[in-house]
Amino acid sequence: MSGGKRAFVVGINGKMGRILAESAAEYGYTVVGGLDVVSDGNNVFDSAGKVNIQYDVVIDFSRASEQTLGATIALCSDADTPAVIATTGYSDEQLRRITELSKRVPIFRSANMSLGIAAVKAAATVAKSILGDRYDIEIVEKHHREKLDAPSGTALMLADALTDKSNQVINRSGKRKCGEVGITSVRGGNTVGEHEIGFYGDDEVVTVSHSALSRKLFAAGAFKAADFIAGMPPAMYGMDDLVRSLLNLTHS
């Protein structure tokens, strides 16, 4: 059975685009069309200007590029529609343009749509506050061989939660300095995504980790995010906002 809410997917012919289309009804959505590099004449368009269908939310799981970002901005602006943006690897200028868009329509942007990763992030920040500065922190992330960006957007998001960018060291060489957070990337096989945060002390090691077993979990998170921003005022929202909303529902 098709769902009642209409989603338009940027990057619809990619792995995540296909999963979104296959699982949409489970979350009360119908994927009514999408955008990709090749138009197929069946509501898949190769430019935003050709889109002639109605939708309630744009979900962007494409690769970071001027073309796809421009399309997402146009799709949201033309139809005054919110967007869930899960694409990673944007430049600072591209991120600025997304922030400008959020002044006109609600935008949910996250490097990772997994609620499990949100829990890992929360646990890691608590662990740091308890363990203090005497523990060295290292993040190791693993993904499939075709992933373009490294480190992953998720690893950078986790690092940002633990320290500022000036203390982050990517693929270190040489001796570590006090207070640094190291990030190491591994690429190989068909690994969906693994992230581990290690707190290394003199007498113990504490780890917080997450393994994605299926890309479907990212689709579930994207549709939850779409539900969350429906009817919200224009602003930039993220996984922390969604988690706070879920906690309020649990405690109410």
Side-chain angles (χ1 to χ4, degrees):
M1 179 182 296
S2 297
K5 294 166 285 189
R6 301 164 298 180
F8 187 94
V9 177
V10 178
I12 193 169
N13 290 331
K15 292 178 181 178
M16 274 307 307
R18 292 194 293 270
I19 291 171
L20 285 165
E22 292 167 0
S23 60
E26 183 178 346
Y27 302 99
Y29 282 81
T30 298
V31 173
V32 294
L35 185 140
D36 220 299
V37 292
V38 177
S39 174
D40 69 357
N42 188 28
N43 287 348
V44 176
F45 306 88
D46 58 11
S47 73
K50 296 178 181 179
V51 176
N52 58 2
I53 57 177
Q54 294 183 326
Y55 44 89
D56 301 310
V57 64
V58 174
I59 301 179
D60 185 348
F61 266 97
S62 63
R63 293 178 176 179
S65 72
E66 283 298 313
Q67 180 180 359
T68 55
L69 177 58
T72 296
I73 292 173
L75 289 163
C76 293
S77 301
D78 293 347
D80 195 25
T81 307
V84 175
I85 300 179
T87 300
T88 61
Y90 284 124
S91 67
D92 289 341
E93 171 59 22
Q94 290 170 326
L95 291 174
R96 184 195 66 77
R97 291 166 61 193
I98 295 172
T99 300
E100 285 299 310
L101 179 62
S102 72
K103 297 176 182 178
R104 299 157 58 187
V105 296
I107 301 294
F108 189 105
R109 189 178 77 84
S110 178
N112 193 302
M113 289 293 165
S114 162
L115 288 174
I117 282 290
V120 165
K121 177 183 171 183
T125 56
V126 171
K128 183 186 178 185
S129 67
I130 293 172
L131 297 175
D133 296 333
R134 292 182 296 112
Y135 286 69
D136 300 324
I137 304 174
E138 293 286 326
I139 299 172
V140 178
E141 57 96 353
K142 303 177 182 179
H143 284 85
H144 54 90
R145 65 171 67 92
E146 296 180 1
K147 186 171 177 60
L148 293 178
D149 54 321
S152 68
T154 301
L156 294 172
M157 175 186 71
L158 294 171
D160 287 343
L162 296 169
T163 190
D164 59 51
K165 290 190 182 299
S166 63
N167 289 329
Q168 297 172 20
V169 178
I170 297 171
N171 294 324
R172 107 174 32 259
S173 61
K175 185 178 178 180
R176 76 164 13 253
K177 296 178 181 177
C178 181
E180 290 179 343
V181 172
I183 309 172
T184 301
S185 299
V186 178
R187 295 290 177 268
N190 195 36
T191 305
V192 175
E194 297 179 10
H195 293 83
E196 180 180 278
I197 307 171
F199 297 82
Y200 296 87
D202 292 337
D203 303 300
E204 64 180 350
V205 176
V206 178
T207 59
V208 184
S209 65
H210 177 272
S211 295
L213 304 180
S214 165
R215 289 180 175 85
K216 188 176 178 181
L217 70 93
F218 304 126
F223 288 124
K224 284 182 181 293
D227 283 340
F228 172 72
I229 59 174
M232 296 288 276
M236 183 72 74
Y237 301 94
M239 193 58 74
D240 289 346
D241 300 300
L242 176 56
V243 168
R244 280 193 291 268
S245 173
L246 293 173
L247 287 174
N248 287 336
L249 288 174
T250 300
H251 295 154
S252 62

